[in-house]
Amino acid sequence: MINAKVKPSKQKNKTNNNSFLGRWQRQISYAWHNVFNYFYQNIFASLLTILVIAISITLPTIGYLLLKNANQAAEQWYPTPNLTVYINKTLDSEQTNDLIDKFKTIAEVENVTYLSREDTREEFKTWSGFDDALDLLDENPLPAVAIVFPIEEAKSTDKLHDLQTQLKKIAGVDDVQLDDSWFTRLTALTNMVKSIVWTISIFMVIAVSLVIGNSIRLNIFARRQTIIVMQLIGATEGFILRPFLYNGIFTGLISAVLALILSKVFILQIDSTMLHVSDVFGTMININGLSWEESLLIVLFSMIIGWFSAFIATKKYLNKTVIAS
């Protein structure tokens, strides 16, 4: 009775091993075994390849971090661009309120802060230091002021100037001042850095693809006899491709993790330098690294590049083999 119980169990295990899921698991295990076996057998060359790829990924990552922290520092140092509207002194309080309401109806305006003539007088006395001179005057020479804050979509230089022209045409407005010189320079500098980062990123993606593709070609060359034998015994193209594709994914994964570590080292290195800059500018500058979402995106993107490069290199070799045969 014991034997009768054991035999069905063996038959059941044999059936499970021959099922689609069992075959698929064995093929996946075989592919990863080949990846790790090749890595251990060529560990020095594999580590050099991973280091080169990691540095290639680190360069655009550092550029992105510099751009990200530069934008944050600019928002901290510089206020939001706004327009200062000088209201005619002949308007009474009701007319002034109607004028402020008219400003708020403009689509490009997000908020309006109103300063009465008394408010502007007090602010001028506080910031200029000429409070005694103003007290000698019989009449307040300063007009009422409305500070107009544009919406986010209207903060470009062209749209700010268009809004300035639109406000000047409103009756009761004497003048509109827009101090956008710093904003124009900052926008130009940010666009320049962004273009540089994108250019470096494109070149680095090409470099990573070439390095991974060359590494896979060397792997294929080292195992060319095995591939030929596998083709002769009827191995499918997917079965032959799978170890090389996993090798590309593995190389991209390890390289991306190493690149994230190098980027973190870079952030820690310049953090002390930024402390000195903070003392000079009199403001606290925090250097932010990559978020979890950004890190995950870099890892996934590197793995995709590794898979795609391995696929192109292996497919090209297999096509040549088919043509030659």
Side-chain angles (χ1 to χ4, degrees), residues 85 99 102-103 106 161-176:
V85 181
L99 187 61
K102 188 177 295 184
F103 294 158
I106 300 176
H161 283 285
D162 292 340
L163 180 58
Q164 180 185 21
T165 303
Q166 184 178 355
L167 291 172
K168 283 183 177 180
K169 295 179 180 179
I170 300 177
V173 174
D174 285 344
D175 194 14
V176 180

Side-chain angles (χ1 to χ4, degrees), residues 42 113 130 134 136 153 163 167 178 190 220 271-272 310:
N42 305 271
T113 300
F130 295 106
L134 286 177
L136 296 176
E153 293 77 9
L163 180 58
L167 291 172
L178 171 62
T190 303
I220 294 173
D271 194 38
S272 58

Side-chain angles (χ1 to χ4, degrees), residues 83-115:
L83 301 96
T84 303
V85 181
Y86 296 96
I87 301 174
N88 194 300
K89 292 186 288 186
T90 60
L91 299 181
D92 56 27
S93 59
E94 184 177 353
Q95 291 173 327
T96 302
N97 291 332
D98 293 337
L99 187 61
I100 299 298
D101 292 336
K102 188 177 295 184
F103 294 158
K104 294 180 179 179
T105 58
I106 300 176
E108 291 79 8
V109 174
E110 180 180 15
N111 190 23
V112 178
T113 300
Y114 172 68
L115 297 177

